[in-house]
Amino acid sequence: MKEWHSMTIAVLVGLTVRWAVSLNSYSGAGKPPMFGDYEAQRHWQEITLNLPVQEWYFNSSDNNLQYWGLDYPPLTAYHSLLCAYVAEFINPDWVALHTSRGYESDHHKLFMRSTVFIADLMIYIPAVVLYCCYLKETSPRKKIANAFCILLYPGLLLIDYGHFQYNCVSLGLTLWGVLGLSYDWDILGSLAFCLALNYKQMELYHSLPFFCFLLGKCLKKDLKGKGLLLLIKLITTVVAAFALCWLPFFTQLEQTMQVLRRLFPVGRGLFEDKVANFWCSLNVLLKIKSLLSPHTQLMFSFALTFLSLLPACLKLTLQPSLRGFKYALVSCALSFFLFSFQVHEKSILLVSLPVCLILNEVPFMSIWFLLVSTFSMLPLLLKDQLALASVGTTLGFGVACASSFSIFENISEEELQLRSFSVYVRRHIPGFKVPAKMLKTWFLVSVTMMSLLTLTSITVEPPHKLPDLFPVLVCLVSCLHFLLFLIYFNVIILWDHRNGRSQKKIN
Amino acid sequence: MTCVCSCSPGTAQESRGGPGAGAAEPFSDGAEPSYSTDFEVHRNWLAITHSLPVSRWYYEATSEWTLDYPPFFAWFEYTLSHIAKVFDPEMLNIQNLNYASPRTVLFQRFSVIFTDVLFIYSVYECCKCIEGKKAGKELTEKPTFILSVLLLWNFGLLIVDHIHFQYNGFLFGLMLLSVARLFQKRHLEGAFLFAILLHFKHIYLYVAPAYGIYLLRSYCFTADKPDGSVTWSSFSFLRLIALGFIVCFVSALSLGPFIAMNQLPQVISRLFPFKRGLCHAYWAPNFWALYNALDKMLCIIGLKYNLLDPKKIAKASMTSGLVQQFQHVVLPSVTPLATLICTVIAMLPSIFCLWFKPQGPRGFLRCLIVCALSSFMFGWHVHEKAILLAILPMSLLSVGKPQDAAIYLLLTTTGHYSLFPLLFTAPEFPIKVLLMLLFTVYSFSSLKTLFRKEKLLNWMETIYLVGLGPLEICCELVFPFTPWKLKYPFIPLFLTSVYCAAGITYAWFRLSVSMLPGPAVSKAKLQ
């Protein structure tokens, strides 16, 4: 079969599953007075359409910030405005000021779902296809398998098309950024990433690797000549992109400050709900939220995040390589997710995207991670009545991955990218071997545990005294996985000698 | 081989879960009670068989959707109803019309998915006995792999069973299994399976002539003359008696109780409702759709040039084209007997070939498809879903010869497109378009890879198939926004039906010709 036929089929399957998921319920369906993220997005359309730009981020009689006030950067607001124009054209009731609050109907749902579908089709999916088509040192078959699995990743699918959000836009733009950097189109890449950052402030999780990689590139090119030129070009691009996005809010200082306050709500506490990160899991044993003052919490989380980021970022700045860049994206995003302040369960998608990018390098570990990441959002998905859709798409993803990457056949040091690490350890502990066989057992145990927990969460009522038993268990299990994954990815980054000077040492 | 079948059913099952899970949602919404009548039909049958004694099954008429399938299917529903009880006993109440609680939907959907296991098994059996063109070392390029995907991911079966709602999966499973058994020379088993199938759903009578003739000719006669004609002396009475016994035994099992209760006429009248009219509400794309369209056109021309008296024409036939009873104005009206005669005439050539020039199980399969397609073309009150009866067996032939592959591509693409009106709500629109594209892209690319050297479709056929795209855009995207929508609401269905009818008629014609062992072919070969 021709390559592009197979690619078309992969994309079509992805689209079909997306739309099938979108027929399901969404977050906060029929749950007044606050509803959910679906209503938030609709409300933003209402606000951006009916109020002047200056009032978008301010509390007023027309804009109650307590009720889903706009708390994303300007690009999201512009996107909402664009959707609002279309909505107003179709049915003005959908975006009427005040009266449209909590508006729900089959037609409106269809409209909202198609806005996500179109955004996905225009930004995320082309980026994935292009990324996979230009993978180096990969057979055509593998490229298609790669694209197929990335497109079927259930986490993003369920959050965007079930729960309802536009993660495909911010993640897609980041992917365009990665694509740009891969082809040495640094200006375009950084432009795409700036747009992503202006769409969702959570993209800051990815910003450090981008920064370090580009800085490292400039340093490598000699900072006095070509490197300086590149640096100036990059700075100009970033400043221009930000200026353009924030133009309406630069008129007054108060405007800018208000937007920033809305974007970074430091007052909201260390974490909300049940998140599979370090703090929430620690909270089960130790009530840190009540033990420490909010300020200390902030300091602690900042310090820990910084420390866990540092090795990967330093390494990337000193030895910038595309491969290291991808791994650094994973490790930094994971550090942010585990240790930073005010993390949402959905933020795990920011880690999943770079993990998808290394799917062809370490298939076994990536697939494991992607399964765990979907599982970590289980409490949220169950709340949105997406149980059937989650189980269905996860099974489909599992089958697709298992048939396209023979994951069990090659779990070796080489395949896990741990060769240089074990060589290093062997110098100190002779006879050290990466427990590849044991990893397989662990994987099976972990998958069994996750399926059992999913099954019980769906079918069994929790005991009266512990109403949050299952969500807490889900968080603990996923958090434990994520911590181990963080160590694993950092090991790969630190012992990566492929592009470094130490290449000679091994030889 | 095992790898093929163990991997593809998995994915197919998954895909079934996907749209099924999605399509289950509009039911639970509560806005519309139910959009698929067949969903309510089957719920009602569950209720009937569960709460009434057998003697009342074929008399019960609280709901308009009375039991009109043969007894085995009723027993099947009866068995299911015992599991349904666990999910939601309310769905087993006959008075609960249009009942569709989330649990009911879940149960019904899962019952279809689970009974599909039989279908998957039969596909596996069929793949074992079909030896297609030898090609390619890669797994995905092997005919068996292609065949299993073409069957398991069949767009028509997927939407009719898992979105619209019916139990065709396991019924086709029975049919394919019996075909596979005949291929494996296990004739009695094949006959037995087909007899059971007939008592599950009597639409399979369409293909019964092929079975009858084939078993009589190639099983009851044990030897052929060298030129392929019958050796009358080789007739084996024992085999005929065995076949007869099987058929009678299955029929007795199914109809026996009703004969004992003296209800046979009632059962028959339920199974064959000839009062329903020549065409279904939406004209199935067959010969009669073309006939009706011609009548309509003649009528309009006649009115324009004052050849017809407007007063004589019933008003109903002018304003709405798609009522149950279509009044022919110019052409003679068609009676059930006429359709029967047409069907038999259409089948005859292929039946003759099966008798005089038997070509083994492949010839039988080809004859079976011609019978199914002929019945579809000329039958009385044919549903558009009946096209699956030709499409699924045709998949088996498609991986064998390039000519068959070409017919298959024409038939499936047109036939599948003609199923589009089954799903008419807006949220289903992307699903049906995407699934159709998916299947069409796969079938074209895989068969083109399989027959790399041959040209499958000529320019006329290609243009015709490409034309389906603009047709769909006109009918579903442009037409609803034009002022004609209120005045002529039937135009999209009319266009779809007539356009597809042309393609299916052409495919039927090509298939019937391929059945004839014409001298032209052999001459061409000699040259």
Side-chain angles (χ1 to χ4, degrees):
Chain A
M1 207 183 296
K2 276 179 203 152
E3 255 175 69
W4 68 271
H5 283 165
S6 313
M7 198 50 113
T8 316
I9 287 171
V11 172
L12 281 172
V13 172
L15 289 176
T16 312
V17 177
R18 275 168 168 70
W19 193 263
V21 170
S22 87
L23 294 176
N24 282 279
S25 177
Y26 48 82
S27 104
K31 282 182 195 153
M34 280 308 274
F35 302 95
D37 272 349
Y38 176 88
E39 167 64 9
Q41 299 287 350
R42 194 212 54 75
H43 181 66
W44 294 349
Q45 292 178 8
E46 172 195 336
I47 292 298
T48 48
L49 183 71
N50 292 299
L51 300 183
V53 185
Q54 288 77 25
E55 290 178 34
W56 285 356
Y57 288 90
F58 277 95
N59 204 14
S60 70
S61 56
D62 286 333
N63 186 11
N64 177 9
L65 289 184
Q66 293 302 312
Y67 184 82
W68 301 116
L70 198 52
D71 54 3
Y72 277 4
L75 214 52
T76 296
Y78 304 145
H79 183 207
S80 290
L81 183 62
L82 188 70
C83 294
Y85 279 127
V86 182
E88 198 193 22
F89 174 72
I90 300 173
N91 184 352
D93 288 348
W94 291 349
V95 282
L97 194 62
H98 300 306
T99 51
S100 65
R101 248 187 210 194
Y103 190 97
E104 286 178 294
S105 78
D106 285 348
H107 279 112
H108 186 242
K109 183 181 163 192
L110 189 66
F111 165 73
M112 294 294 271
R113 294 297 198 196
S114 31
T115 57
V116 182
F117 194 72
I118 290 167
D120 204 355
L121 202 58
M122 286 171 61
I123 298 177
Y124 184 69
I125 293 177
V128 171
V129 171
L130 274 184
Y131 176 79
C132 294
C133 282
Y134 292 100
L135 276 176
K136 282 159 198 155
E137 299 163 20
T138 334
S139 69
R141 212 183 114 81
K142 268 269 137 48
K143 283 179 187 170
I144 287 151
N146 218 26
F148 188 54
C149 293
I150 296 179
L151 288 177
L152 280 185
Y153 169 58
L156 180 63
L157 244 149
L158 290 165
I159 294 299
D160 274 13
Y161 290 85
H163 179 84
F164 202 88
Q165 277 195 343
Y166 293 96
N167 290 302
C168 50
V169 178
S170 54
L171 295 180
L173 286 171
T174 311
L175 196 49
W176 279 106
V178 176
L179 264 174
L181 297 202
S182 322
Y183 292 102
D184 273 337
W185 300 332
D186 296 328
I187 311 289
L188 284 178
S190 50
L191 179 68
F193 184 68
C194 283
L195 292 180
L197 209 52
N198 275 311
Y199 194 86
K200 216 167 177 180
Q201 69 271 35
M202 249 72 87
E203 285 298 332
L204 279 174
Y205 288 14
H206 292 145
S207 58
L208 275 177
F210 270 92
F211 174 75
C212 295
F213 179 63
L214 289 173
L215 185 68
K217 224 171 173 180
C218 292
L219 290 176
K220 209 170 152 189
K221 279 189 177 170
D222 174 24
L223 205 48
K224 279 175 194 152
K226 275 186 182 172
L228 187 67
L229 192 67
L230 181 63
L231 193 64
I232 292 170
K233 272 187 194 164
L234 287 172
I235 292 174
T236 324
T237 316
V238 173
V239 170
F242 267 84
L244 217 61
C245 288
W246 286 66
L247 203 58
F249 305 97
F250 277 151
T251 48
Q252 290 162 327
L253 185 66
E254 183 49 29
Q255 278 284 338
T256 321
M257 291 314 290
Q258 173 66 10
V259 177
L260 285 175
R261 269 198 297 274
R262 291 294 302 162
L263 295 191
F264 302 103
V266 185
R268 275 168 77 174
L270 192 53
F271 58 86
E272 277 177 49
D273 287 339
K274 298 282 173 284
V275 191
N277 76 351
F278 179 70
W279 302 116
C280 185
S281 310
L282 194 66
N283 201 47
V284 179
L285 309 169
L286 203 71
K287 297 285 170 233
I288 19 168
K289 251 187 167 178
S290 43
L291 274 176
L292 300 175
S293 73
H295 186 70
T296 344
Q297 287 176 20
L298 190 64
M299 289 291 67
F300 260 110
S301 81
F302 180 75
L304 256 182
T305 316
F306 183 72
L307 278 180
S308 64
L309 287 171
L310 203 57
C313 287
L314 275 182
K315 170 94 177 177
L316 185 63
T317 319
L318 296 177
Q319 297 171 356
S321 75
L322 205 56
R323 203 178 103 87
F325 171 56
K326 287 185 209 163
Y327 282 99
L329 275 176
V330 177
S331 127
C332 288
L334 193 53
S335 309
F336 268 111
F337 177 80
L338 280 171
F339 302 115
S340 76
F341 203 73
Q342 250 288 314
V343 176
H344 287 265
E345 60 274 63
K346 282 157 272 176
S347 305
I348 195 65
L349 295 180
L350 292 158
V351 194
S352 302
L353 177 79
V355 173
C356 285
L357 302 185
I358 52 170
L359 193 59
N360 67 323
E361 291 186 36
V362 278
F364 176 73
M365 290 306 249
S366 309
I367 289 165
W368 193 355
F369 180 89
L370 293 175
L371 287 175
V372 177
S373 70
T374 310
F375 169 74
S376 76
M377 292 185 287
L378 185 73
L380 178 78
L381 297 172
L382 289 186
K383 213 192 320 175
D384 296 341
Q385 296 175 320
L386 294 169
L388 201 61
S390 328
V391 173
T393 47
T394 313
L395 281 178
F397 176 70
V399 171
C401 286
S403 52
S404 20
F405 299 96
S406 38
I407 43 173
F408 282 135
E409 279 162 31
N410 31 23
I411 313 169
S412 58
E413 271 175 18
E414 203 72 49
E415 284 291 322
L416 294 170
Q417 313 276 347
L418 289 177
R419 191 56 180 271
S420 46
F421 170 68
S422 56
V423 168
Y424 174 81
V425 178
R426 243 171 266 158
R427 253 180 260 156
H428 302 277
I429 315 166
F432 172 83
K433 264 176 88 179
V434 173
K437 277 214 175 130
M438 215 154 79
L439 265 182
K440 195 171 149 183
T441 327
W442 283 354
F443 174 76
L444 290 176
V445 169
S446 138
V447 167
T448 322
M449 195 157 62
M450 292 194 290
S451 355
L452 281 179
L453 254 177
T454 308
L455 206 67
T456 40
S457 306
I458 293 173
T459 51
V460 181
E461 282 278 311
H464 266 295
K465 282 181 191 166
L466 303 163
D468 282 340
L469 177 67
F470 295 127
V472 168
L473 279 178
V474 169
C475 285
L476 279 178
V477 169
S478 330
C479 181
L480 192 69
H481 277 95
F482 292 148
L483 282 171
L484 294 174
F485 276 118
L486 182 65
I487 295 171
Y488 168 74
F489 285 122
N490 268 308
V491 164
I492 295 190
I493 292 170
L494 295 182
W495 272 272
D496 176 25
H497 293 302
R498 272 198 200 171
N499 301 298
R501 257 177 264 147
S502 37
Q503 183 89 41
K504 286 164 201 158
K505 279 184 199 167
I506 296 180
N507 299 340
Chain B
M1 184 61 237
T2 33
C3 167
V4 177
C5 284
S6 62
C7 115
S8 21
T11 40
Q13 196 64 50
E14 182 34 47
S15 86
R16 277 140 205 247
E25 194 277 335
F27 286 111
S28 57
D29 230 23
E32 276 174 279
S34 74
Y35 65 83
S36 154
T37 48
D38 273 312
F39 182 84
E40 169 62 8
V41 167
H42 287 88
R43 189 213 55 79
N44 183 44
W45 292 354
L46 277 177
I48 290 176
T49 50
H50 188 79
S51 46
L52 294 179
V54 182
S55 57
R56 301 279 320 142
W57 284 0
Y58 285 92
Y59 284 93
E60 168 57 40
T62 309
S63 159
E64 62 178 309
W65 312 114
T66 53
L67 184 56
D68 55 7
Y69 274 23
F72 276 176
F73 200 86
W75 288 110
F76 167 71
E77 291 279 1
Y78 176 76
T79 322
L80 277 184
S81 72
H82 286 279
I83 311 166
K85 213 163 41 181
V86 186
F87 278 76
D88 186 358
E90 277 303 295
M91 76 170 108
L92 300 174
N93 185 346
I94 297 180
Q95 309 302 329
N96 258 347
L97 296 184
N98 292 320
Y99 182 76
S101 69
R103 281 172 155 252
T104 310
V105 175
L106 197 70
F107 167 74
Q108 295 265 68
R109 293 283 181 203
F110 270 111
S111 66
V112 179
I113 291 176
F114 279 116
T115 48
D116 259 4
V117 171
L118 182 64
F119 180 66
I120 293 168
Y121 172 70
S122 338
V123 170
Y124 171 73
E125 286 290 315
C126 279
C127 287
K128 272 204 299 197
C129 59
I130 289 290
E131 76 286 358
K133 184 179 173 289
K134 299 272 179 290
K137 278 167 207 159
E138 227 180 299
L139 174 73
T140 50
E141 286 186 9
K142 284 192 173 147
T144 41
F145 180 85
I146 294 172
L147 175 61
S148 67
V149 176
L150 288 182
L151 284 171
L152 290 171
W153 284 80
N154 187 282
F155 166 76
L157 193 61
L158 210 63
I159 68 162
V160 170
D161 268 21
H162 297 269
I163 300 181
H164 177 76
F165 197 85
Q166 271 192 351
Y167 289 96
N168 292 302
F170 85 96
L171 296 171
F172 276 114
L174 276 175
M175 181 168 111
L176 291 181
L177 195 60
S178 91
V179 170
R181 291 298 178 242
L182 293 188
F183 267 83
Q184 294 159 347
K185 307 268 177 252
R186 291 152 76 171
H187 294 95
L188 288 180
E189 218 176 311
F192 177 65
L193 286 169
F194 185 68
I196 292 180
L197 177 64
L198 269 186
H199 288 278
F200 264 110
K201 193 171 177 177
H202 50 300
I203 196 173
Y204 292 93
L205 275 174
Y206 282 2
V207 296
Y211 269 91
I213 300 296
Y214 176 71
L215 285 172
L216 196 64
R217 174 69 182 81
S218 300
Y219 179 65
C220 295
F221 288 96
T222 49
D224 282 343
K225 281 182 191 158
D227 63 338
S229 58
V230 183
T231 318
W232 291 98
S233 57
S234 72
F235 186 72
S236 154
F237 257 109
L238 193 68
R239 292 189 166 189
L240 185 67
I241 289 168
L243 278 178
F245 173 73
I246 284 174
V247 173
C248 291
F249 172 71
V250 173
S251 304
L253 217 58
S254 154
L255 295 172
F258 297 94
I259 295 172
M261 287 184 288
N262 225 351
Q263 291 184 351
L264 195 60
Q266 171 68 13
V267 174
I268 299 287
S269 76
R270 279 281 172 89
L271 295 191
F272 302 96
F274 275 108
K275 284 173 197 150
R276 277 191 191 166
L278 175 65
C279 287
H280 193 51
Y282 153 60
W283 301 346
N286 60 9
F287 178 76
W288 303 122
L290 292 176
Y291 187 82
N292 287 352
L294 182 67
D295 181 75
K296 195 110 195 164
M297 247 151 60
L298 289 178
C299 175
I300 290 168
I301 292 168
L303 281 177
K304 202 168 180 187
Y305 296 101
N306 293 322
L307 300 172
L308 289 169
D309 183 9
K311 284 172 199 160
K312 278 184 190 168
I313 300 165
K315 213 182 171 189
S317 73
M318 284 313 297
T319 46
S320 70
L322 293 167
V323 283
Q324 286 271 343
Q325 296 282 350
F326 184 82
Q327 299 287 331
H328 291 102
V329 180
V330 186
L331 300 172
S333 280
V334 182
T335 59
L337 186 68
T339 63
L340 185 68
I341 293 170
C342 288
T343 314
V344 171
I345 292 175
M347 284 179 185
L348 269 183
S350 62
I351 301 274
F352 271 121
C353 288
L354 189 63
W355 182 269
F356 291 110
K357 289 257 183 218
Q359 291 161 334
R362 286 201 153 261
F364 154 73
L365 187 58
R366 194 176 295 274
C367 179
L368 181 149
I369 300 163
V370 173
C371 284
L373 209 50
S374 304
S375 311
F376 179 83
M377 287 300 299
F378 299 101
W380 179 261
H381 194 84
V382 175
H383 283 229
E384 67 277 21
K385 287 163 253 173
I387 192 69
L388 290 179
L389 207 60
I391 288 178
L392 285 172
M394 191 69 207
S395 319
L396 299 182
L397 284 186
S398 71
V399 291
K401 276 198 288 184
Q403 294 84 359
D404 292 335
I407 300 174
Y408 174 76
L409 289 177
L410 273 168
L411 185 67
T412 42
T413 314
T414 323
H416 284 160
Y417 179 76
S418 76
L419 293 174
F420 266 22
L422 269 183
L423 309 179
F424 52 85
T425 61
E428 288 169 322
F429 176 75
I431 281 280
K432 69 178 178 189
V433 171
L434 286 171
L435 277 175
M436 167 94 181
L437 274 179
L438 191 58
F439 183 81
T440 312
V441 169
Y442 181 79
S443 54
F444 270 83
S445 69
S446 62
L447 289 176
K448 278 202 167 152
T449 319
L450 191 62
F451 304 107
R452 235 173 238 128
K453 285 162 196 157
E454 288 88 352
K455 197 162 177 290
L456 290 183
L457 298 176
N458 62 32
W459 61 273
M460 225 167 62
E461 294 159 344
T462 315
I463 288 176
Y464 173 80
L465 289 184
V466 169
L468 288 172
L471 181 67
E472 171 66 10
I473 292 170
C474 286
C475 288
E476 297 214 47
L477 294 178
V478 178
F479 187 80
F481 299 103
T482 57
W484 297 319
K485 190 190 183 247
L486 295 172
K487 214 171 163 194
Y488 306 106
F490 58 89
I491 281 188
L493 289 184
F494 175 80
L495 281 180
T496 309
S497 179
V498 172
Y499 194 87
C500 293
I504 290 179
T505 312
Y506 176 76
W508 167 77
F509 183 74
R510 264 193 76 173
L511 189 71
S512 305
V513 170
S514 81
M515 186 75 200
L516 308 170
V521 179
S522 50
K523 263 184 196 167
K525 264 185 189 169
L526 284 175
Q527 285 166 3

